[in-house]
mmCIF file of all heavy atoms in Angstrom:
data_model
loop_
_atom_site.group_PDB
_atom_site.id
_atom_site.type_symbol
_atom_site.label_atom_id
_atom_site.label_comp_id
_atom_site.label_asym_id
_atom_site.label_seq_id
_atom_site.Cartn_x
_atom_site.Cartn_y
_atom_site.Cartn_z
ATOM 1 N N VAL P 98 -1.431 8.561 65.134
ATOM 2 C CA VAL P 98 -2.246 9.041 66.253
ATOM 3 C C VAL P 98 -2.175 10.552 66.293
ATOM 4 O O VAL P 98 -1.094 11.142 66.392
ATOM 5 C CB VAL P 98 -1.737 8.447 67.585
ATOM 6 C CG1 VAL P 98 -2.583 8.944 68.731
ATOM 7 C CG2 VAL P 98 -1.744 6.927 67.512
ATOM 8 N N ALA P 99 -3.308 11.167 66.166
ATOM 9 C CA ALA P 99 -3.352 12.634 66.147
ATOM 10 C C ALA P 99 -3.196 13.164 67.563
ATOM 11 O O ALA P 99 -3.821 12.670 68.509
ATOM 12 C CB ALA P 99 -4.675 13.110 65.556
ATOM 13 N N SER P 100 -2.371 14.173 67.731
ATOM 14 C CA SER P 100 -2.175 14.787 69.049
ATOM 15 C C SER P 100 -3.371 15.648 69.385
ATOM 16 O O SER P 100 -3.927 16.321 68.517
ATOM 17 C CB SER P 100 -0.891 15.621 69.040
ATOM 18 O OG SER P 100 -0.982 16.601 68.038
ATOM 19 N N PRO P 101 -3.816 15.605 70.616
ATOM 20 C CA PRO P 101 -5.005 16.399 70.990
ATOM 21 C C PRO P 101 -4.740 17.879 70.828
ATOM 22 O O PRO P 101 -3.717 18.390 71.236
ATOM 23 C CB PRO P 101 -5.235 16.015 72.464
ATOM 24 C CG PRO P 101 -3.916 15.509 72.951
ATOM 25 C CD PRO P 101 -3.252 14.889 71.773
ATOM 26 N N GLN P 102 -5.689 18.549 70.229
ATOM 27 C CA GLN P 102 -5.574 19.990 70.002
ATOM 28 C C GLN P 102 -6.222 20.737 71.170
ATOM 29 O O GLN P 102 -7.307 20.361 71.623
ATOM 30 C CB GLN P 102 -6.275 20.378 68.693
ATOM 31 C CG GLN P 102 -5.668 19.723 67.467
ATOM 32 C CD GLN P 102 -4.297 20.288 67.199
ATOM 33 O OE1 GLN P 102 -4.002 21.417 67.541
ATOM 34 N NE2 GLN P 102 -3.450 19.460 66.581
ATOM 35 N N PRO P 103 -5.559 21.769 71.635
ATOM 36 C CA PRO P 103 -6.177 22.546 72.742
ATOM 37 C C PRO P 103 -7.439 23.231 72.273
ATOM 38 O O PRO P 103 -7.544 23.670 71.145
ATOM 39 C CB PRO P 103 -5.068 23.564 73.100
ATOM 40 C CG PRO P 103 -4.238 23.666 71.865
ATOM 41 C CD PRO P 103 -4.281 22.326 71.230
ATOM 42 N N ALA P 104 -8.413 23.275 73.188
ATOM 43 C CA ALA P 104 -9.701 23.916 72.856
ATOM 44 C C ALA P 104 -9.485 25.400 72.656
ATOM 45 O O ALA P 104 -8.720 26.039 73.374
ATOM 46 C CB ALA P 104 -10.706 23.670 73.987
#
Side-chain angles (χ1 to χ4, degrees):
V98 180
S100 58
Q102 298 291 332

